[in-house]
Amino acid sequence: MNKRMTIGAFLLAASLGVSAQKAMTPPAGGKAISDELIGIFFEDISSSADGGLYAELIQNGSFEFSPSERNGWGPGTAWSMIRPGHSLGYMEPRMDNPIHPNNPTYMRLHIERVKEYYDYKGWKGFGIQNNGFDGLSLKAGAKYNFSAFLRNVEGSNKTVRIVLIEPQGHNKDPKLLAEATIEGVADKSWKKYECVLTPNADCQKAALQLLVLNQGVVDADMISLMPEDTYKGHGLRKDLAEALEGLHPKFMRFPGGCVVHGGGDGFWNTYRWKTTVGPKEQRRQLKNTWGYHQSMGLGYFEYFQFCEDLGMQPLPILPCGVSCQGANGGWGMKNQAQDCVPMSEMDEWVNEALDLIEWANGDVNTKWGAVRAAAGHPQPFNLKYLGIGNEERISPEFIERFKYMYKKVTEAHPEIVIVGTAGPGSHPGNPDFDNGWKLAEEIGLPILDEHYYEKNDYFLNSRQYDKYPRDRKTKVYLGEYAAKDKKLIDALAEALYLLHVERNGDVVSMTSYAPLFARKNATNWNPDLIYFDNERPFLTCSYYVQQMFGLSSGNYYYGNCVSFKGDAAGTVQPVEKSLYGQSVVLNTKTRKLFVKLCNAGAEAKTASLDLSRFKGLKPMATKTVLSGQPDAENNFDQQPIQPQKDTVKMKKKAEVEVAPYSFVMLEFSL
């Protein structure tokens, strides 16, 4: 009986499919393909990090928001002054004598008088309130770790009350959810204070208050409220991390995207990994390319740690001294000059890469290996891939700097696989594409990163990689792609395209859908793979297609095991402008065989399977189906499209009905 599956049930069933049996010898007739075809690409776009995957609940906890990021913003953004019982005082942003030069701004609280009136039922003090990202989402009985750096500037020792509340409106006492008291704030230098808060009720629109109960002056910085229950205890929001785990990705590309080189803001805003790996109070925060703020609480250490937690290869991307193609209004302007660092300064950018490799892979006795160890990870991260550049125009200036950086890095670390860039719009005839491939072949680049976003017609009709030369040494990484909508027909178009990618898995080594995340009411780009609010993720039709391909990864492809009625026996599908297709992939390590069938048309198709070559094939198969109306989509109000899963008995020679607008996956054990 068909059952609609929750993501948790689907994940559990997938995890049980991993076999500990000895790897098998593949039958004749197949070809070796990449077993890293499905990965993920994380860019901090649409509030994917702060307010998203990074589990921190406080917004602007370090008071570093600035008008340079958004008009009207400043250190007090997301904060409000509170004075229950009509206490008196004022708040003052300061930058003298900060915790660290990378974190220069803090808030000074001047408490002039603390009052307590009967109608406030004991509420008193002067302080500040933060509502997080559209309210703090709290669960009854869950533990939340509060921390703040405080400094007693003037007056006697301070008592500070930390309160979680549910606001009740103007002139009404808030509902108390949890509280703790920090006694004896006496130090004239910065000191970190911590406590644990446990709400007594669920609340989706809570707020945090920090109330000073004594007269005097207190400095505050790095105010944090973190759920204790994060993904593997590493500070990432659990449900969003589990959604990524459900994709079974083989790698993660990060931190961008245009974020890598500061978008169009100039080199001052370039993402520098070194300022994201130390203690969080010492990290340099940045204006985000997409018009908001990056706290860097989710930095390179957390990215690498997350890759390790999910068993993914990390694929960090570094700039190479050339500005984003979109800088100075450059998108679409063929003759737009690029901002470039002088060649005399390129060693600085080379050292960024060499030091990153040492940080990720070096012994604890090396300079940067010791920094990694000090952060709590003495064992190396075993970095294999490193990307250089992202969507820059492949101009003579870029080529000169890329060659220089590529040569220096590969000479020092020939074991590192370098990924280059072919710019946006990576189709034959595009100047960046053509110049990128010319450069790749000239220097023997291992992998070239292609990007394109197209309407679903392209993915339904084009089979770009069928035409690629088979003798190229450079492999393809399709690093950013998506059909330009999030309906089922768009996901099926992407599924058809991925079937063709699998068929060309000897040419294409990696793919990642983009963008990955988007926060409700804070979306910079559509479509996205996973939407979310404070309570839960919302999984798109494309998410489930990616999930099914991630579950069915393998290292051998067989193109003549399936034919569709009306086609010649053994016909390889899909061909251009065909709305249906198939793929048969064998994973010799797990001894699993996967048959994938896609029908993006309005008429049912019958697929004829001949799996006779696979000796020892078990008769019981797991059948997963994604289907529905072509214009249906999953959104915040409803999730009509979800995979349905059955256990079915199959013969080696069988016929499978593929309904209109459906994607079918059969999983066999050997």
Side-chain angles (χ1 to χ4, degrees):
M1 180 179 181
N2 291 346
K3 295 181 180 179
R4 291 196 178 274
M5 301 192 66
T6 65
I7 182 173
F10 202 50
L11 288 177
L12 177 60
S15 66
L16 295 177
V18 178
S19 171
Q21 299 182 60
K22 183 179 179 182
M24 62 179 291
T25 301
K31 69 174 178 180
I33 63 171
S34 170
D35 62 356
E36 294 183 330
L37 278 177
I38 303 298
I40 55 177
F41 162 48
F42 184 93
E43 178 171 8
D44 191 356
I45 182 174
S46 301
S47 296
S48 295
D50 295 322
L53 185 61
Y54 182 46
E56 174 62 61
L57 296 176
I58 300 301
Q59 184 175 186
N60 193 22
S62 58
F63 307 102
E64 297 297 332
F65 280 31
S66 165
S68 67
E69 299 173 313
R70 185 177 296 180
N71 288 339
W73 271 15
T77 298
W79 292 95
S80 58
M81 185 177 70
I82 53 171
R83 49 191 192 95
H86 298 293
S87 297
L88 300 178
Y90 64 97
M91 50 195 285
E92 175 194 14
R94 302 277 295 237
M95 299 182 72
D96 54 306
N97 194 18
I99 296 174
H100 191 273
N102 284 342
N103 178 25
T105 311
Y106 59 91
M107 191 62 70
R108 176 161 289 181
L109 305 179
H110 297 262
I111 306 95
E112 296 182 345
R113 184 179 299 176
V114 176
K115 292 185 177 182
E116 180 179 347
Y117 286 168
Y118 71 92
D119 56 338
Y120 279 81
K121 300 176 184 177
W123 287 82
K124 66 177 183 179
F126 174 85
I128 49 179
Q129 175 175 310
N130 192 288
N131 293 58
F133 300 88
D134 302 319
L136 307 180
S137 179
L138 305 176
K139 303 299 179 187
K143 295 184 183 206
Y144 296 86
N145 297 323
F146 170 87
S147 65
F149 281 81
L150 302 174
R151 177 170 60 188
N152 186 26
V153 178
E154 183 181 302
S156 60
N157 295 354
K158 303 297 187 293
T159 298
V160 179
R161 186 180 183 221
I162 310 300
V163 186
L164 291 176
I165 62 161
E166 181 178 1
Q168 299 296 304
H170 184 63
N171 286 335
K172 292 184 180 180
D173 293 338
K175 178 182 176 182
L176 179 64
L177 299 172
E179 66 176 321
T181 301
I182 298 172
E183 302 278 2
V185 178
D187 288 73
K188 300 298 183 183
S189 57
W190 289 107
K191 181 178 178 181
K192 187 175 183 180
Y193 296 85
E194 299 174 286
C195 62
V196 178
L197 298 164
T198 306
N200 55 28
D202 290 351
C203 184
Q204 297 181 11
K205 295 289 184 179
L208 177 134
Q209 294 183 347
L210 183 152
L211 293 161
V212 184
L213 305 185
N214 316 91
Q215 289 180 215
V217 180
V218 174
D219 291 337
D221 202 359
M222 292 301 295
I223 298 174
S224 169
L225 186 70
M226 182 74 73
E228 188 173 277
D229 187 20
T230 61
Y231 187 74
K232 298 195 176 182
H234 289 155
L236 301 188
R237 184 172 146 178
K238 198 170 184 179
D239 57 347
L240 298 186
E242 287 175 343
L244 298 185
E245 180 184 50
L247 294 169
H248 291 255
K250 298 299 186 296
F251 64 90
M252 182 171 79
R253 174 177 175 245
F254 60 89
C258 294
V259 167
V260 166
H261 33 42
D265 289 317
F267 292 115
W268 67 270
N269 200 44
T270 299
Y271 193 111
R272 296 298 185 101
W273 72 266
K274 291 179 180 178
T275 59
T276 75
V277 297
K280 294 186 180 182
E281 67 273 14
Q282 297 180 14
R283 299 182 182 185
R284 183 172 71 94
Q285 304 187 24
L286 286 180
K287 174 186 176 182
N288 183 277
T289 297
W290 300 102
Y292 53 93
H293 185 84
Q294 292 174 277
S295 74
M296 295 304 172
L298 177 56
Y300 259 56
F301 181 84
E302 288 75 22
Y303 285 128
F304 272 80
Q305 191 173 58
F306 186 50
C307 288
E308 184 176 76
D309 286 342
L310 259 64
M312 304 181 289
Q313 290 284 352
L315 175 48
I317 309 297
L318 297 181
C320 62
V322 179
S323 67
C324 175
Q325 187 162 163
N328 304 316
W331 292 114
M333 300 174 66
K334 295 181 180 179
N335 299 317
Q336 176 67 37
Q338 289 174 294
D339 293 325
C340 305
V341 302
M343 285 301 298
S344 61
E345 298 177 11
M346 273 303 296
D347 281 344
E348 175 186 346
W349 302 82
V350 171
N351 289 334
E352 285 278 302
L354 298 180
D355 291 344
L356 175 61
I357 296 168
E358 182 176 285
W359 176 83
N361 294 352
D363 184 85
V364 295
N365 295 316
T366 62
K367 175 183 175 181
W368 287 102
V371 172
R372 183 196 68 241
H377 202 285
Q379 297 302 315
F381 281 116
N382 300 316
L383 176 67
K384 174 182 175 183
Y385 296 111
L386 177 62
I388 299 177
N390 171 77
E391 291 189 358
E392 293 90 348
R393 188 157 56 86
I394 313 301
S395 63
E397 294 83 3
F398 171 84
I399 291 171
E400 181 181 20
R401 284 154 183 79
F402 185 91
K403 279 184 175 181
Y404 184 84
M405 193 166 176
Y406 177 77
K407 182 175 184 292
K408 293 281 189 178
V409 174
T410 53
E411 285 179 348
H413 291 281
E415 77 282 5
I416 297 296
V417 179
I418 301 297
V419 180
T421 178
S426 299
H427 301 305
N430 180 294
D432 293 323
F433 174 89
D434 294 339
N435 292 333
W437 270 106
K438 182 179 178 181
L439 173 62
E441 293 178 323
E442 177 188 340
I443 65 177
L445 185 70
I447 302 176
L448 189 65
D449 184 10
E450 299 183 349
H451 296 177
Y452 41 90
Y453 298 91
E454 305 289 352
K455 293 181 179 179
N456 64 37
D457 284 352
Y458 175 82
F459 296 101
L460 288 170
N461 297 324
S462 176
R463 302 294 175 258
Q464 180 162 325
Y465 299 117
D466 286 345
K467 304 177 182 68
Y468 276 37
R470 301 290 119 176
D471 58 351
R472 274 179 175 164
K473 292 183 179 179
T474 303
K475 302 299 182 183
V476 176
Y477 168 32
L478 178 52
E480 294 187 32
Y481 75 98
K484 290 184 176 180
D485 208 340
K486 49 184 180 291
K487 296 179 172 60
L488 177 62
I489 188 61
D490 302 291
L492 293 176
E494 293 158 357
L496 276 174
Y497 201 72
L498 283 173
L499 292 176
H500 127 268
V501 167
E502 282 189 328
R503 184 170 70 252
N504 291 281
D506 54 335
V507 171
V508 183
S509 62
M510 310 163 86
T511 71
S512 51
Y513 182 102
L516 188 61
F517 279 124
R519 181 178 173 85
K520 185 179 181 180
N521 301 326
T523 300
N524 301 109
W525 184 287
N526 273 302
D528 304 280
L529 197 64
I530 301 167
Y531 294 80
F532 64 91
D533 60 16
N534 284 346
E535 297 298 306
R536 56 199 174 278
F538 298 86
L539 309 177
T540 62
C541 302
S542 293
Y543 173 91
Y544 290 115
V545 166
Q546 293 289 319
Q547 183 181 65
M548 291 166 75
F549 274 91
L551 284 165
S552 59
S553 66
N555 53 340
Y556 276 85
Y557 173 86
Y558 294 83
N560 59 353
C561 296
V562 178
S563 62
F564 289 90
K565 281 196 172 180
D567 298 321
T571 298
V572 175
Q573 294 288 346
V575 295
E576 284 194 82
K577 299 185 179 180
S578 173
L579 296 179
Y580 56 96
Q582 57 84 22
S583 176
V584 177
V585 171
L586 174 67
N587 190 321
T588 61
K589 300 173 185 177
T590 62
R591 303 177 73 91
K592 296 286 186 179
L593 182 71
F594 300 95
V595 178
K596 292 187 283 287
L597 310 167
C598 186
N599 182 6
E603 297 181 2
K605 299 294 294 184
T606 300
S608 298
L609 278 60
D610 185 353
L611 307 177
S612 302
R613 74 187 69 188
F614 300 102
K615 306 303 179 185
L617 195 72
K618 303 295 189 295
M620 302 307 294
T622 300
K623 182 180 182 182
T624 306
V625 179
L626 193 70
S627 64
Q629 295 301 310
D631 289 336
E633 64 179 78
N634 293 341
N635 54 44
F636 288 98
D637 299 318
Q638 55 183 346
Q639 298 267 293
I641 307 298
Q642 296 185 45
Q644 300 181 37
K645 193 169 184 177
D646 284 312
T647 300
V648 296
K649 190 171 184 179
M650 298 284 296
K651 295 181 179 180
K652 289 186 177 181
K653 291 186 177 182
E655 291 188 345
V656 177
E657 294 298 316
V658 187
Y661 306 113
S662 67
F663 182 46
V664 178
M665 183 175 76
L666 296 166
E667 177 186 335
F668 298 86
S669 296
L670 291 100

Short mmCIF file of all heavy atoms in Angstrom, two decimals, residues 573-606:
data_model
loop_
_atom_site.label_atom_id
_atom_site.label_comp_id
_atom_site.label_asym_id
_atom_site.label_seq_id
_atom_site.Cartn_x
_atom_site.Cartn_y
_atom_site.Cartn_z
N GLN A 573 17.97 6.31 -23.96
CA GLN A 573 17.10 7.46 -23.70
C GLN A 573 17.65 8.22 -22.49
O GLN A 573 18.31 7.64 -21.64
CB GLN A 573 15.67 6.99 -23.40
CG GLN A 573 14.97 6.34 -24.57
CD GLN A 573 14.59 7.34 -25.67
OE1 GLN A 573 14.61 8.55 -25.44
NE2 GLN A 573 14.28 6.84 -26.84
N PRO A 574 17.42 9.53 -22.36
CA PRO A 574 16.63 10.34 -23.27
C PRO A 574 17.45 10.91 -24.41
O PRO A 574 18.67 11.06 -24.27
CB PRO A 574 16.14 11.47 -22.36
CG PRO A 574 17.24 11.63 -21.37
CD PRO A 574 17.80 10.25 -21.16
N VAL A 575 16.84 11.20 -25.51
CA VAL A 575 17.47 11.92 -26.61
C VAL A 575 16.93 13.33 -26.58
O VAL A 575 16.01 13.66 -25.84
CB VAL A 575 17.17 11.25 -27.97
CG1 VAL A 575 17.80 9.87 -28.02
CG2 VAL A 575 15.67 11.15 -28.22
N GLU A 576 17.50 14.20 -27.38
CA GLU A 576 17.04 15.59 -27.38
C GLU A 576 15.55 15.66 -27.70
O GLU A 576 15.04 14.95 -28.55
CB GLU A 576 17.84 16.40 -28.38
CG GLU A 576 19.25 16.74 -27.89
CD GLU A 576 19.91 17.81 -28.72
OE1 GLU A 576 19.63 18.99 -28.48
OE2 GLU A 576 20.69 17.44 -29.60
N LYS A 577 14.88 16.55 -26.97
CA LYS A 577 13.46 16.82 -27.14
C LYS A 577 12.58 15.62 -26.81
O LYS A 577 11.45 15.54 -27.25
CB LYS A 577 13.18 17.34 -28.55
CG LYS A 577 13.91 18.65 -28.86
CD LYS A 577 13.54 19.22 -30.20
CE LYS A 577 14.29 20.53 -30.43
NZ LYS A 577 13.96 21.14 -31.73
N SER A 578 13.11 14.70 -26.02
CA SER A 578 12.29 13.59 -25.53
C SER A 578 11.84 13.92 -24.12
O SER A 578 12.64 14.38 -23.30
CB SER A 578 13.10 12.29 -25.53
OG SER A 578 12.36 11.27 -24.90
N LEU A 579 10.59 13.67 -23.81
CA LEU A 579 10.05 13.99 -22.50
C LEU A 579 10.11 12.81 -21.55
O LEU A 579 9.51 12.85 -20.48
CB LEU A 579 8.60 14.48 -22.64
CG LEU A 579 8.42 15.79 -23.41
CD1 LEU A 579 6.94 16.15 -23.49
CD2 LEU A 579 9.21 16.91 -22.78
N TYR A 580 10.82 11.78 -21.92
CA TYR A 580 10.98 10.64 -21.03
C TYR A 580 12.40 10.11 -21.15
O TYR A 580 13.09 10.35 -22.14
CB TYR A 580 9.95 9.54 -21.33
CG TYR A 580 9.97 9.05 -22.76
CD1 TYR A 580 10.68 7.90 -23.11
CD2 TYR A 580 9.27 9.71 -23.76
CE1 TYR A 580 10.70 7.43 -24.42
CE2 TYR A 580 9.27 9.26 -25.06
CZ TYR A 580 9.99 8.12 -25.39
OH TYR A 580 10.01 7.66 -26.68
N GLY A 581 12.85 9.40 -20.13
CA GLY A 581 14.22 8.90 -20.14
C GLY A 581 14.47 7.93 -19.02
O GLY A 581 13.61 7.70 -18.17
N GLN A 582 15.68 7.36 -19.03
CA GLN A 582 16.01 6.32 -18.07
C GLN A 582 17.50 6.33 -17.75
O GLN A 582 18.30 6.90 -18.48
CB GLN A 582 15.60 4.95 -18.61
CG GLN A 582 16.22 4.59 -19.96
CD GLN A 582 17.61 3.99 -19.90
OE1 GLN A 582 18.01 3.46 -18.86
NE2 GLN A 582 18.36 4.06 -20.99
N SER A 583 17.82 5.68 -16.66
CA SER A 583 19.22 5.51 -16.27
C SER A 583 19.30 4.28 -15.39
O SER A 583 18.42 4.04 -14.55
CB SER A 583 19.71 6.74 -15.50
OG SER A 583 21.03 6.55 -15.03
N VAL A 584 20.35 3.48 -15.58
CA VAL A 584 20.61 2.32 -14.72
C VAL A 584 22.02 2.48 -14.17
O VAL A 584 22.99 2.55 -14.94
CB VAL A 584 20.47 1.00 -15.50
CG1 VAL A 584 20.83 -0.19 -14.61
CG2 VAL A 584 19.04 0.85 -16.04
N VAL A 585 22.13 2.56 -12.86
CA VAL A 585 23.41 2.82 -12.21
C VAL A 585 23.67 1.75 -11.16
O VAL A 585 22.79 1.40 -10.37
CB VAL A 585 23.40 4.22 -11.55
CG1 VAL A 585 24.63 4.42 -10.68
CG2 VAL A 585 23.34 5.31 -12.62
N LEU A 586 24.90 1.25 -11.15
CA LEU A 586 25.32 0.23 -10.19
C LEU A 586 26.32 0.83 -9.21
O LEU A 586 27.26 1.52 -9.62
CB LEU A 586 25.96 -0.95 -10.92
CG LEU A 586 26.59 -2.05 -10.06
CD1 LEU A 586 25.52 -2.80 -9.26
CD2 LEU A 586 27.40 -3.02 -10.92
N ASN A 587 26.10 0.57 -7.93
CA ASN A 587 27.06 0.93 -6.91
C ASN A 587 27.74 -0.35 -6.46
O ASN A 587 27.16 -1.16 -5.74
CB ASN A 587 26.36 1.62 -5.73
CG ASN A 587 27.33 2.23 -4.74
OD1 ASN A 587 28.38 1.64 -4.45
ND2 ASN A 587 26.99 3.38 -4.20
N THR A 588 28.97 -0.55 -6.92
CA THR A 588 29.66 -1.81 -6.63
C THR A 588 30.06 -1.91 -5.17
O THR A 588 30.31 -3.01 -4.67
CB THR A 588 30.90 -1.96 -7.52
OG1 THR A 588 31.82 -0.90 -7.25
CG2 THR A 588 30.53 -1.97 -8.99
N LYS A 589 30.14 -0.77 -4.46
CA LYS A 589 30.55 -0.80 -3.06
C LYS A 589 29.41 -1.26 -2.16
O LYS A 589 29.63 -2.05 -1.23
CB LYS A 589 31.03 0.60 -2.64
CG LYS A 589 32.23 1.10 -3.44
CD LYS A 589 32.55 2.55 -3.10
CE LYS A 589 33.65 3.09 -3.99
NZ LYS A 589 33.93 4.52 -3.73
N THR A 590 28.20 -0.77 -2.43
CA THR A 590 27.06 -1.15 -1.60
C THR A 590 26.27 -2.31 -2.20
O THR A 590 25.32 -2.78 -1.58
CB THR A 590 26.11 0.05 -1.42
OG1 THR A 590 25.61 0.45 -2.70
CG2 THR A 590 26.82 1.22 -0.77
N ARG A 591 26.66 -2.74 -3.42
CA ARG A 591 25.97 -3.83 -4.13
C ARG A 591 24.50 -3.47 -4.33
O ARG A 591 23.61 -4.30 -4.12
CB ARG A 591 26.14 -5.16 -3.39
CG ARG A 591 27.60 -5.56 -3.16
CD ARG A 591 27.72 -6.84 -2.37
NE ARG A 591 27.35 -8.01 -3.16
CZ ARG A 591 28.19 -8.74 -3.89
NH1 ARG A 591 29.47 -8.40 -3.94
NH2 ARG A 591 27.77 -9.78 -4.57
N LYS A 592 24.27 -2.25 -4.74
CA LYS A 592 22.93 -1.77 -5.04
C LYS A 592 22.83 -1.40 -6.52
O LYS A 592 23.77 -0.84 -7.09
CB LYS A 592 22.58 -0.54 -4.19
CG LYS A 592 22.53 -0.80 -2.70
CD LYS A 592 21.29 -1.57 -2.30
CE LYS A 592 21.17 -1.70 -0.79
NZ LYS A 592 19.95 -2.44 -0.39
N LEU A 593 21.68 -1.71 -7.11
CA LEU A 593 21.40 -1.35 -8.49
C LEU A 593 20.19 -0.42 -8.50
O LEU A 593 19.17 -0.70 -7.85
CB LEU A 593 21.10 -2.60 -9.33
CG LEU A 593 20.83 -2.35 -10.82
CD1 LEU A 593 22.12 -1.94 -11.53
CD2 LEU A 593 20.22 -3.58 -11.48
N PHE A 594 20.29 0.67 -9.24
CA PHE A 594 19.22 1.66 -9.28
C PHE A 594 18.75 1.85 -10.72
O PHE A 594 19.56 2.08 -11.63
CB PHE A 594 19.71 2.99 -8.73
CG PHE A 594 20.18 2.91 -7.30
CD1 PHE A 594 21.53 2.74 -7.01
CD2 PHE A 594 19.28 2.99 -6.25
CE1 PHE A 594 21.97 2.66 -5.70
CE2 PHE A 594 19.70 2.93 -4.94
CZ PHE A 594 21.06 2.74 -4.66
N VAL A 595 17.45 1.74 -10.90
CA VAL A 595 16.82 2.02 -12.18
C VAL A 595 15.96 3.26 -12.00
O VAL A 595 15.07 3.29 -11.14
CB VAL A 595 15.96 0.84 -12.66
CG1 VAL A 595 15.27 1.18 -13.98
CG2 VAL A 595 16.80 -0.42 -12.81
N LYS A 596 16.22 4.30 -12.79
CA LYS A 596 15.45 5.54 -12.69
C LYS A 596 14.73 5.77 -14.01
O LYS A 596 15.34 5.67 -15.09
CB LYS A 596 16.36 6.71 -12.33
CG LYS A 596 16.93 6.61 -10.92
CD LYS A 596 17.67 7.85 -10.51
CE LYS A 596 19.05 7.95 -11.13
NZ LYS A 596 20.01 7.01 -10.53
N LEU A 597 13.44 6.11 -13.92
CA LEU A 597 12.58 6.31 -15.09
C LEU A 597 11.86 7.64 -14.92
O LEU A 597 11.25 7.88 -13.87
CB LEU A 597 11.57 5.18 -15.22
CG LEU A 597 12.12 3.75 -15.14
CD1 LEU A 597 10.99 2.75 -14.96
CD2 LEU A 597 12.93 3.43 -16.39
N CYS A 598 11.89 8.48 -15.92
CA CYS A 598 11.24 9.79 -15.83
C CYS A 598 10.31 9.99 -17.01
O CYS A 598 10.67 9.70 -18.16
CB CYS A 598 12.29 10.90 -15.80
SG CYS A 598 11.60 12.55 -15.52
N ASN A 599 9.13 10.48 -16.72
CA ASN A 599 8.15 10.81 -17.75
C ASN A 599 7.62 12.21 -17.48
O ASN A 599 6.86 12.43 -16.54
CB ASN A 599 7.00 9.80 -17.74
CG ASN A 599 5.97 10.07 -18.84
OD1 ASN A 599 6.16 10.95 -19.67
ND2 ASN A 599 4.89 9.31 -18.83
N ALA A 600 8.07 13.17 -18.28
CA ALA A 600 7.64 14.56 -18.12
C ALA A 600 6.56 14.93 -19.11
O ALA A 600 6.28 16.12 -19.32
CB ALA A 600 8.84 15.50 -18.28
N GLY A 601 5.95 13.91 -19.71
CA GLY A 601 4.90 14.15 -20.68
C GLY A 601 3.52 13.84 -20.14
O GLY A 601 3.36 13.32 -19.03
N ALA A 602 2.50 14.14 -20.96
CA ALA A 602 1.11 14.00 -20.54
C ALA A 602 0.55 12.60 -20.78
O ALA A 602 -0.58 12.32 -20.39
CB ALA A 602 0.25 15.03 -21.26
N GLU A 603 1.32 11.72 -21.44
CA GLU A 603 0.85 10.36 -21.72
C GLU A 603 1.70 9.36 -20.96
O GLU A 603 2.92 9.52 -20.83
CB GLU A 603 0.93 10.07 -23.22
CG GLU A 603 0.03 10.97 -24.05
CD GLU A 603 0.11 10.63 -25.53
OE1 GLU A 603 0.85 9.67 -25.87
OE2 GLU A 603 -0.55 11.32 -26.34
N ALA A 604 1.05 8.30 -20.46
CA ALA A 604 1.78 7.24 -19.76
C ALA A 604 2.73 6.54 -20.70
O ALA A 604 2.49 6.45 -21.92
CB ALA A 604 0.78 6.25 -19.16
N LYS A 605 3.82 6.05 -20.16
CA LYS A 605 4.81 5.29 -20.92
C LYS A 605 5.03 3.94 -20.26
O LYS A 605 4.89 3.81 -19.04
CB LYS A 605 6.14 6.05 -21.00
CG LYS A 605 6.07 7.40 -21.68
CD LYS A 605 5.74 7.29 -23.16
CE LYS A 605 6.86 6.61 -23.95
NZ LYS A 605 6.58 6.60 -25.40
N THR A 606 5.40 2.96 -21.07
CA THR A 606 5.73 1.63 -20.57
C THR A 606 7.21 1.39 -20.80
O THR A 606 7.69 1.46 -21.93
CB THR A 606 4.91 0.54 -21.27
OG1 THR A 606 3.52 0.78 -21.04
CG2 THR A 606 5.27 -0.83 -20.71
#
